[in-house]
């Protein structure tokens, strides 16, 4: 199958949770994408020294979470490259793998005000369209951040409003550590993996 419109969602996925999956699905349906590629970071630039689970465990949990969805795939491009996972390097690599595709990079709207700190951000904006999934209370910051990029921002950073999902990886790790129930927040296969491997204790 030729992938014409490819969604990319990157992150530590430490662990991946239902919020990540519903954001990816929402963008997939809203923009009529052909597939969404989950790209677990080896070391996320903004989280150096803050990873809680090993890259291989985070990758495997992402695979387990994506399995039920025929239009989701997991890429090990950042794990293979190792080192710090800069999105720009990843996008150049994915462009080689999907030369005919339009690339849509999915982020939370709360990430948009930080885009100016990203490595090679202007080059990146020329390569992909950023799709920001709205979080309540971020509309003003989003608009201001997009404006800072001028015409390129107007053209290459879009906002999609989706129902809020109050779930975070931080809260999941806290719950696991405290022995509290977190089964509603992650797919069952991910919950089983966390418990079996003794992650986040």
């Amino acid at each position: 199958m030729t992938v014409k419109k490819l969604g990319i969602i990157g992150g530590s996925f430490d662990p991946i949770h239902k919020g990540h999956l519903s954001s990816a699905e929402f963008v997939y349906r809203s923009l009529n994408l052909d597939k969404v590629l989950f790209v677990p970071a080896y070391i996320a630039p903004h989280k150096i020294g803050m990873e809680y689970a090993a890259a291989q465990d985070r990758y495997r949990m992402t695979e387990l979470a994506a399995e039920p969805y025929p239009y989701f795939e997991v890429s090990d491009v950042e794990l293979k490259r190792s080192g710090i996972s800069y999105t720009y390097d990843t996008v150049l690599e994915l462009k080689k793998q999907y030369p005919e595709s339009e690339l849509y990079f999915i982020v939370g709207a709360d990430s948009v005000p930080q885009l100016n700190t990203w490595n090679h951000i202007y080059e990146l904006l020329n390569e992909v369209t950023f799709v920001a999934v709205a979080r309540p209370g971020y509309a003003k910051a989003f608009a201001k951040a997009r404006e800072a990029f001028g015409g390129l921002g107007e053209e290459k950073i879009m906002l999609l409003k989706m129902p809020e999902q109050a779930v975070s990886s931080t809260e999941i790790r806290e719950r696991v550590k405290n022995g509290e129930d977190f089964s509603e927040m992650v797919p069952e296969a991910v919950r089983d993996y966390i418990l079996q491997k003794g992650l986040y204790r």
Side-chain angles (χ1 to χ4, degrees), residues 17-108:
H17 54 64
K18 287 180 178 178
H20 294 129
L21 296 166
S22 58
S23 293
E25 178 143 41
F26 181 75
V27 176
Y28 169 80
R29 296 196 184 287
S30 301
L31 300 184
N32 203 12
L33 302 178
D34 291 295
K35 78 170 167 185
V36 177
L37 207 54
F38 284 75
V39 185
Y42 185 73
I43 298 171
H46 295 80
K47 296 192 176 172
I48 294 170
M50 291 161 61
E51 284 84 9
Y52 294 88
Q56 283 71 18
D57 286 321
R58 294 184 284 104
Y59 181 84
R60 183 64 190 131
M61 288 189 281
T62 308
E63 275 189 324
L64 291 168
E67 245 162 44
Y69 302 85
Y71 40 85
F72 286 174
E73 235 176 74
V74 186
S75 167
D76 63 358
V77 58
E78 293 188 352
L79 269 71
K80 275 184 176 159
R81 200 169 64 233
S82 73
I84 296 171
S85 303
Y86 290 115
T87 301
Y88 181 64
D89 299 334
T90 300
V91 164
L92 292 184
E93 191 63 41
L94 292 175
K95 278 190 89 78
K96 286 182 203 161
Q97 292 178 22
Y98 300 93
E100 304 298 307
S101 297
E102 276 181 77
L103 304 183
Y104 294 85
F105 200 89
I106 302 162
V107 292

Side-chain angles (χ1 to χ4, degrees), residues 4-17:
K4 299 276 194 300
K5 293 170 81 174
L6 178 67
I8 304 164
I9 182 165
S12 297
F13 301 126
D14 197 14
I16 189 164
H17 54 64

Side-chain angles (χ1 to χ4, degrees), residues 104-126:
Y104 294 85
F105 200 89
I106 302 162
V107 292
D110 50 340
S111 295
V112 175
Q114 273 98 52
L115 283 182
N116 62 340
T117 69
W118 285 33
N119 197 32
H120 293 299
I121 184 58
Y122 284 94
E123 292 91 333
L124 198 49
L125 283 166
N126 282 308

